[in-house]
Amino acid sequence: MFLTCMETVTKELVSWMRGHESSVFSISVHASGRYAITTSSDTAQLWDLDTFQRKRKLNILQSVGIQKVFFLPLSNTILSCFKDNSIFAWECDTLSCKYQLPAPPESSSVLYKVFAVTRDGRILAAGGKSNHLHLWCLEAKQLFRIIQMPTKVRAIRHLEFLPDSFDAGSNQVLGVLSQDGIMRFVNIQTCKLLFEIGSLDEGISSSVISPHGRYIASIMENGSLNIYSVQALTQEINKPPPPLVKVIEDLPKSKLNSGGLKMKVTSGRVQRPAKSRENKIQARILKQDLTGNFENKENEASDGLNKKRLQILLKGYGEYPTKYRMFIWRSLLQLPENHTAFSSLVDKGVHVAFLNLQKKYPIKSRKLLRVLQRTLSALAHWSAIFSDTPYLPLLAFPFVKLFQNNQLICFEVVATLIINWCQHWFEYFPNPPINILSLIENVLAFHDKELLQHFIDHDITSQLYAWPLLETVFSEVLTREEWLKLFDNVFSNHPSFLLMTVVAYNTCSRAPLLNCSLRDDFEYFFHHRNNLDISVVIREVYHLMDTTPTDIHPNDKLDAFVALTKGQYPVFNQYPKFIVDYQTQERERIRNDELDFLRERQMVEDMQAEVDQQRVEDEAWYQKQELLRKAEETRREMLLQEEEKMAQQRQRLASVKRELRAKEMHLQDATRRRFLKLQQDQREMELRRLNDEIERKVHMRDQEIATTAKDLEMRHLELESQKRLYEKNLIRNQEAVAKEMREDSDTYRRKVDLEEHMFHKLIEAGQTQNQKTQKWEEAKEKDFHLKSEKKASALSDASRKWFLEKELDDALEHAEHPYNTVSLNQRRVQWDTMEQDLMERVRNLRQRLTAQARNRCRTPHLLAT
């Protein structure tokens, strides 16, 4: 997170300030405008607005949290309020803790959320999520009042005091914005509700009061912006308080001397007048006029202050109270506060005559420089003469420094000063005001001829002993307090008072001035501070005002005080317009000539720069060439030296290489021997390991052979038993087949015999011829039967022989591979399958032979039939 500082006139970014990690919800600026405090939920940071640098940082525990950190008005005190209701006061310069407010009573415990402080910084108002409002007296550091708001108020969202021109900063009216959107204004002394703004239907979201307490701006919950006039809301607040000062009129001059009576009156107190030298006046009790009527209204300013009473107070105390000085000045000068007219002057921007003001007047504070530049620009836009007035920055600077936080007041104070106390200053423009300086010289000649003659003897004119004081309005020769005290009297008297001050300053300094003889000493004296009591000078001014003859008194040459007009500022043309116009034209012509000259000079400078650049480049080239040549020679010498060194180095390297080679060969030989020994050891270990392995293998082989031999014996027995079983089965099968064949042959023979018998009986007579054929067929058939039986027997013997050979081969294979039981079982299955196949083939062969024999027997019968 970072903060940006913008220029309100040019709308340009001036600076930015980094440092916060969370969003900033509060910014407080010191009354001088030099410092600012920014507050976020976790930290508060103090910034220097002149340099826009962070000065200090306040870090706290996360469990505590910050509610608000702000400056107290009209003081150097920083008030920090935390979420645990603790409130601390810190010194701005040293940041040391001044005090801590005590905890509020438990009967009215409020978790503080919002705060407000009166303009005099004496009373702190705090509220939160409650209808109780706590008022703290910061001078006594104690809670002096608890205000209970109406029951409709459950929480307080915003607090702000209503400023009043007549309460001297001790604001009595407090605006309280509650959760219902209504802002109630109460008197904190009487606890009376004065008026309220907003309603339940049209609630207020946030609100702010103008610095003078005339208007209230509120942002409504529906998004609209309402502007309220405090004067229209109530007339009670705007009533001025009864006068605190009452004047006892002087007796006629024949009865009372010019000393007069001076009284300091306060409400309800007995005041004793000062004793005069001739008469003693009995004391009276002067009570405050509670009806609010004023006496001597013709002597009152527009805001109710009586100028004669102020002058009496000023003569009694020598200066106005610091707290009320600015207020009294504004009343004496009757400033109109023309916001619109001033805004139109400011909106014209920075005048061209003051664009480079910082070069001539390098001011450290950037803010002060901007305010001075803006004020001078507004004066130049107001009247053209001020754009050419060289001493205007010196004249306006002390007022700018004093009113830097209120630029409108600053402008109007300077403008009022120029119109009244700078009368006839511009009639001899651009020269110093000879007429005004002549008036000062005449008064000085009347009151101190010796000093004037001393100035004449040393060629010191009024332009040296008077004009530096006027054009700087004594800001160079007086301190801040002395200057403020002087202008309390200047603004309270006729404009000729300032000219008389110049004479009084010279006459009060006559002793050091009479000792000066060099012009430089005089110049130094009137441009630097001197050891001089300003009170003595002011008394001398009043003496000069009373004792100066009328014919040389500046009173008759200067007009009485005239205030600025309201609405629009008056036209200022009390200067030789033709000179200003001529100077403007001449300045424009000079500016154009300067631009032409600058362009031509720029062209010449560019050409000269090109020539110089070319010359520099040529010189650089020649120098570079020379350096290269020298470098080349140096490199050649270095090469020769390096070659010699290299030759020597090579010789040394060769000898070193030989030594290294010998060492390397020795090391290699040692390494080779170690390696050979290592290999020999490894081989011996390998041989021992192999011998162990061979012995283990031989032992395992013997065990396997013995096991295999036992398995072979068992297998041989199994084979013998299987062989006998197979032979028995084959014999049984052969016998069954032979029996079946014999039965079939017998059956067939009986059948043939029966057929032959029947055939012989049927063809006894005609078969004589076929007997030979029949006997041949029978012989053939018998031969066929015999051959078939031989063939079947041979096939059975071959099958049995093949089966026995296979069994023997399998037994040998099992003996060689005793663990291949799976292959043996598979072979057994194959043998069973082959045996079944062989039996099936024998059976089929028998059936075919039987069928062929039948067919052959049937054929002769059919033929015979």
Side-chain angles (χ1 to χ4, degrees):
M1 298 295 294
F2 60 89
L3 301 170
T4 57
C5 182
M6 307 295 294
E7 174 64 48
T8 57
V9 177
T10 61
K11 300 178 178 63
E12 295 180 351
L13 177 64
V14 176
S15 178
W16 57 5
M17 299 175 287
R18 295 181 179 272
H20 283 282
E21 297 180 357
S22 57
S23 60
V24 176
F25 56 79
S26 174
I27 299 177
S28 177
V29 181
H30 190 265
S32 64
R34 183 177 178 182
Y35 302 112
I37 294 177
T38 57
T39 308
S40 61
S41 59
D42 55 352
T43 183
Q45 302 189 19
L46 178 64
W47 303 89
D48 189 341
L49 297 182
D50 293 337
T51 60
F52 297 103
Q53 298 295 323
R54 184 173 66 186
K55 190 176 180 182
R56 294 294 291 271
K57 181 179 180 181
L58 173 63
N59 292 318
I60 61 169
L61 298 176
Q62 294 181 354
S63 58
V64 179
I66 300 176
Q67 285 290 6
K68 192 174 183 180
V69 180
F70 55 94
F71 287 105
L72 290 182
L74 303 176
S75 69
N76 284 334
T77 303
I78 301 174
L79 213 62
S80 60
C81 308
F82 301 96
K83 292 184 179 180
D84 59 355
N85 273 15
S86 59
I87 300 176
F88 293 86
W90 311 84
E91 181 63 33
C92 177
D93 297 331
T94 61
L95 293 179
S96 60
C97 183
K98 297 176 66 176
Y99 58 85
Q100 178 184 1
L101 296 181
E106 296 181 357
S107 59
S108 178
S109 180
V110 179
L111 189 60
Y112 295 153
K113 295 288 187 181
V114 290
F115 307 88
V117 183
T118 57
R119 291 177 64 187
D120 58 4
R122 295 182 178 179
I123 297 177
L124 170 68
K129 198 171 182 181
S130 172
N131 64 344
H132 284 192
L133 191 63
H134 289 187
L135 298 179
W136 292 86
C137 179
L138 298 181
E139 290 181 342
K141 306 175 186 61
Q142 64 180 2
L143 181 68
F144 73 93
R145 181 166 298 140
I146 298 176
I147 298 177
Q148 184 176 0
M149 299 297 292
T151 55
K152 295 180 291 184
V153 177
R154 298 190 304 274
I156 298 175
R157 292 164 47 188
H158 180 65
L159 294 174
E160 189 167 2
F161 281 97
L162 182 65
D164 192 346
S165 301
F166 301 98
D167 58 8
S170 58
N171 311 125
Q172 303 297 316
V173 179
L174 178 62
V176 182
L177 177 61
S178 56
Q179 88 290 341
D180 56 2
I182 300 176
M183 192 168 187
R184 300 170 175 85
F185 289 83
V186 298
N187 190 304
I188 61 174
Q189 298 296 335
T190 63
C191 298
K192 179 182 178 182
L193 179 63
L194 302 178
F195 63 93
E196 60 184 28
I197 56 176
S199 62
L200 296 176
D201 298 331
E202 190 177 0
I204 297 175
S205 176
S206 60
S207 185
V208 65
I209 303 174
S210 64
H212 303 290
R214 298 176 182 174
Y215 303 101
I216 303 173
S218 300
I219 299 177
M220 314 307 289
E221 292 178 351
N222 58 9
S224 62
L225 178 64
N226 290 0
I227 308 295
Y228 299 92
S229 173
V230 176
Q231 185 177 5
L233 289 171
T234 176
Q235 297 295 330
E236 185 70 22
I237 300 177
N238 289 327
K239 286 185 178 181
L244 299 177
V245 180
K246 289 199 173 187
V247 179
I248 299 178
E249 296 182 356
D250 295 340
L251 294 175
K253 291 185 179 180
S254 59
K255 297 183 180 180
L256 190 65
N257 58 9
S258 59
L261 291 175
K262 296 187 231 178
M263 299 191 65
K264 181 178 180 182
V265 181
T266 58
S267 176
R269 289 184 59 185
V270 177
Q271 300 294 327
R272 298 187 179 276
K275 296 181 179 180
S276 64
R277 294 179 181 177
E278 298 179 359
N279 302 319
K280 293 183 179 180
I281 308 299
Q282 187 177 1
R284 291 181 56 193
I285 298 177
L286 302 179
K287 296 183 180 179
Q288 187 178 8
D289 187 0
L290 300 177
T291 60
N293 297 325
F294 299 99
E295 298 177 356
N296 295 329
K297 291 185 179 180
E298 65 276 4
N299 293 325
E300 294 176 358
S302 59
D303 53 3
L305 295 181
N306 189 290
K307 188 174 182 180
K308 286 188 176 180
R309 296 172 185 168
L310 291 175
Q311 288 175 344
I312 292 174
L313 288 175
L314 183 62
K315 288 182 180 180
Y317 293 97
E319 60 180 333
Y320 293 126
T322 303
K323 186 181 297 185
Y324 308 113
R325 175 177 281 120
M326 300 299 105
F327 172 69
I328 294 174
W329 280 17
R330 291 163 62 179
S331 300
L332 291 173
L333 299 179
Q334 301 177 23
L335 302 181
E337 300 185 19
N338 298 328
H339 293 272
T340 304
F342 178 71
S343 299
S344 64
L345 294 175
V346 172
D347 292 342
K348 294 180 180 180
V350 179
H351 197 275
V352 66
F354 304 107
L355 286 175
N356 299 321
L357 183 66
Q358 68 275 11
K359 294 182 180 179
K360 189 174 181 181
Y361 300 98
I363 302 175
K364 182 179 179 181
S365 173
R366 297 180 60 183
K367 176 185 177 182
L368 194 60
L369 177 63
R370 291 195 304 270
V371 176
L372 177 62
Q373 190 179 43
R374 193 175 302 167
T375 304
L376 297 178
S377 299
L379 291 170
H381 291 310
W382 176 42
S383 180
I385 185 67
F386 299 125
S387 63
D388 298 319
T389 306
Y391 56 86
L392 184 63
L394 301 175
L395 181 72
F397 180 74
F399 298 98
V400 170
K401 192 172 183 180
L402 189 62
F403 296 100
Q404 58 180 317
N405 295 323
N406 195 333
Q407 299 177 31
L408 170 64
I409 301 300
C410 177
F411 171 79
E412 292 186 350
V413 169
V414 176
T416 305
L417 177 74
I418 292 174
I419 290 177
N420 293 278
W421 283 270
C422 300
Q423 296 180 42
H424 309 293
W425 280 28
F426 307 98
E427 293 179 358
Y428 292 90
F429 185 82
N431 299 315
I434 305 300
N435 50 348
I436 298 299
L437 298 179
S438 299
L439 292 176
I440 295 174
E441 188 171 357
N442 293 335
V443 176
L444 181 61
F446 178 80
H447 291 282
D448 199 338
K449 293 180 180 180
E450 181 183 357
L451 181 59
L452 180 60
Q453 187 62 41
H454 180 72
F455 288 152
I456 295 172
D457 294 341
H458 293 85
D459 197 19
I460 304 300
T461 63
S462 58
Q463 296 186 20
L464 183 56
Y465 67 79
W467 182 236
L469 301 177
L470 289 176
E471 67 179 357
T472 62
V473 288
F474 293 88
S475 60
E476 287 184 345
V477 297
L478 298 178
T479 63
R480 174 186 173 89
E481 291 74 16
E482 292 173 344
W483 187 86
L484 292 173
K485 188 174 183 179
L486 171 63
F487 270 85
D488 284 345
N489 292 271
V490 170
F491 287 152
S492 300
N493 289 278
H494 192 270
S496 61
F497 191 90
L498 183 62
L499 305 183
M500 289 297 190
T501 305
V502 176
V503 179
Y505 189 84
N506 281 271
T507 56
C508 292
S509 306
R510 65 189 314 271
L513 289 173
L514 290 175
N515 291 327
C516 294
S517 58
L518 298 177
R519 185 179 181 85
D520 292 340
D521 295 339
F522 286 103
E523 290 181 353
Y524 183 87
F525 184 86
F526 290 104
H527 285 280
H528 294 81
R529 295 175 183 173
N530 303 291
N531 187 16
L532 189 64
D533 188 359
I534 192 62
S535 300
V536 176
V537 175
I538 294 173
R539 287 198 297 269
E540 181 65 19
V541 174
Y542 282 108
H543 175 72
L544 295 177
M545 292 287 289
D546 294 337
T547 59
T548 302
T550 307
D551 55 342
I552 62 173
H553 201 295
N555 226 2
D556 298 335
K557 309 299 187 296
L558 301 178
D559 298 332
F561 174 81
V562 177
L564 296 175
T565 57
K566 291 193 175 184
Q568 294 293 333
Y569 296 116
V571 177
F572 185 81
N573 55 4
Q574 299 176 9
Y575 58 89
K577 190 173 184 302
F578 68 94
I579 294 179
V580 175
D581 294 341
Y582 174 75
Q583 284 191 346
T584 304
Q585 295 174 2
E586 283 296 311
R587 187 168 56 253
E588 188 65 26
R589 183 183 63 79
I590 292 172
R591 183 180 292 108
N592 294 330
D593 293 343
E594 286 181 353
L595 291 176
D596 295 338
F597 171 73
L598 290 174
R599 283 195 294 269
E600 293 178 359
R601 189 176 69 179
Q602 186 64 32
M603 292 176 60
V604 172
E605 289 179 353
D606 293 342
M607 294 176 63
Q608 185 65 33
E610 291 179 0
V611 172
D612 295 341
Q613 182 68 22
Q614 187 65 35
R615 185 175 66 254
V616 170
E617 290 178 356
D618 293 342
E619 292 178 357
W621 186 81
Y622 286 120
Q623 292 177 359
K624 189 174 182 181
Q625 293 297 321
E626 182 66 21
L627 291 174
L628 288 174
R629 186 184 62 80
K630 292 181 179 179
E632 185 178 1
E633 293 178 356
T634 305
R635 297 298 186 276
R636 290 181 184 275
E637 294 177 357
M638 291 176 63
L639 283 174
L640 292 175
Q641 295 176 0
E642 288 296 327
E643 287 179 356
E644 293 178 358
K645 291 180 180 179
M646 287 293 293
Q648 298 175 359
Q649 190 71 20
R650 286 194 188 96
Q651 294 177 358
R652 288 194 297 269
L653 285 175
S655 62
V656 171
K657 283 183 178 179
R658 287 192 296 271
E659 293 177 359
L660 290 175
R661 176 63 64 183
K663 291 181 179 180
E664 184 179 359
M665 293 175 65
H666 179 71
L667 290 174
Q668 286 180 352
D669 186 54
T671 304
R672 184 178 59 81
R673 287 195 298 270
R674 286 197 302 270
F675 180 71
L676 291 176
K677 187 177 183 302
L678 179 63
Q679 279 188 339
Q680 183 177 359
D681 295 340
Q682 288 180 349
R683 287 184 178 180
E684 290 177 355
M685 292 177 62
E686 185 69 20
L687 287 174
R688 287 195 296 270
R689 188 181 63 80
L690 289 175
N691 290 330
D692 295 340
E693 186 68 20
I694 289 171
E695 292 177 356
R696 188 177 62 83
K697 290 285 187 181
V698 168
H699 180 68
M700 290 178 62
R701 187 189 61 184
D702 294 340
Q703 290 181 351
E704 289 179 356
I705 290 173
T707 304
T708 304
K710 292 180 180 179
D711 293 339
L712 285 175
E713 291 178 357
M714 294 298 296
R715 183 60 182 166
H716 180 70
L717 295 176
E718 290 178 357
L719 289 176
E720 289 293 335
S721 62
Q722 288 180 359
K723 179 179 178 181
R724 289 192 295 270
L725 181 62
Y726 287 153
E727 290 177 351
K728 188 186 294 184
N729 290 333
L730 283 175
I731 293 171
R732 190 184 299 113
N733 290 334
Q734 288 179 359
E735 291 178 353
V737 170
K739 183 179 180 181
E740 185 178 356
M741 290 177 67
R742 284 194 299 271
E743 290 178 354
D744 291 339
S745 177
D746 293 339
T747 303
Y748 178 70
R749 188 177 294 108
R750 285 192 299 272
K751 187 177 180 181
V752 170
D753 291 338
L754 181 59
E755 288 178 356
E756 288 180 355
H757 179 70
M758 290 176 67
F759 182 71
H760 284 293
K761 285 181 177 180
L762 291 174
I763 54 170
E764 289 179 354
Q767 293 298 329
T768 304
Q769 299 179 355
N770 294 328
Q771 288 179 355
K772 294 180 179 180
T773 304
Q774 183 176 2
K775 291 179 181 179
W776 181 79
E777 288 291 338
E778 291 177 356
K780 190 176 182 180
E781 183 177 356
K782 291 180 180 180
D783 184 59
F784 176 77
H785 280 290
L786 291 174
K787 288 182 178 180
S788 298
E789 290 178 358
K790 289 181 180 180
K791 190 175 181 180
S793 177
L795 182 61
S796 176
D797 294 338
S799 175
R800 186 170 61 255
K801 184 178 181 180
W802 176 82
F803 179 75
L804 293 175
E805 291 177 355
K806 291 294 292 180
E807 285 291 328
L808 184 60
D809 293 337
D810 290 339
L812 294 175
E813 184 178 359
H814 179 70
E816 294 178 358
H817 303 285
Y819 299 103
N820 193 0
T821 57
V822 178
S823 178
L824 181 61
N825 294 330
Q826 291 178 355
R827 290 184 181 276
R828 289 176 179 175
V829 174
Q830 291 178 358
W831 294 339
D832 295 338
T833 304
M834 291 175 64
E835 183 179 1
Q836 293 176 3
D837 187 31
L838 181 60
M839 297 301 295
E840 186 67 27
R841 289 174 62 186
V842 171
R843 192 180 295 111
N844 291 335
L845 180 60
R846 290 176 179 175
Q847 290 178 359
R848 285 198 303 271
L849 292 176
T850 304
Q852 290 178 2
R854 288 176 180 175
N855 290 332
R856 288 179 181 176
C857 293
R858 288 174 184 173
T859 302
H861 294 289
L862 292 175
L863 291 175
T865 305

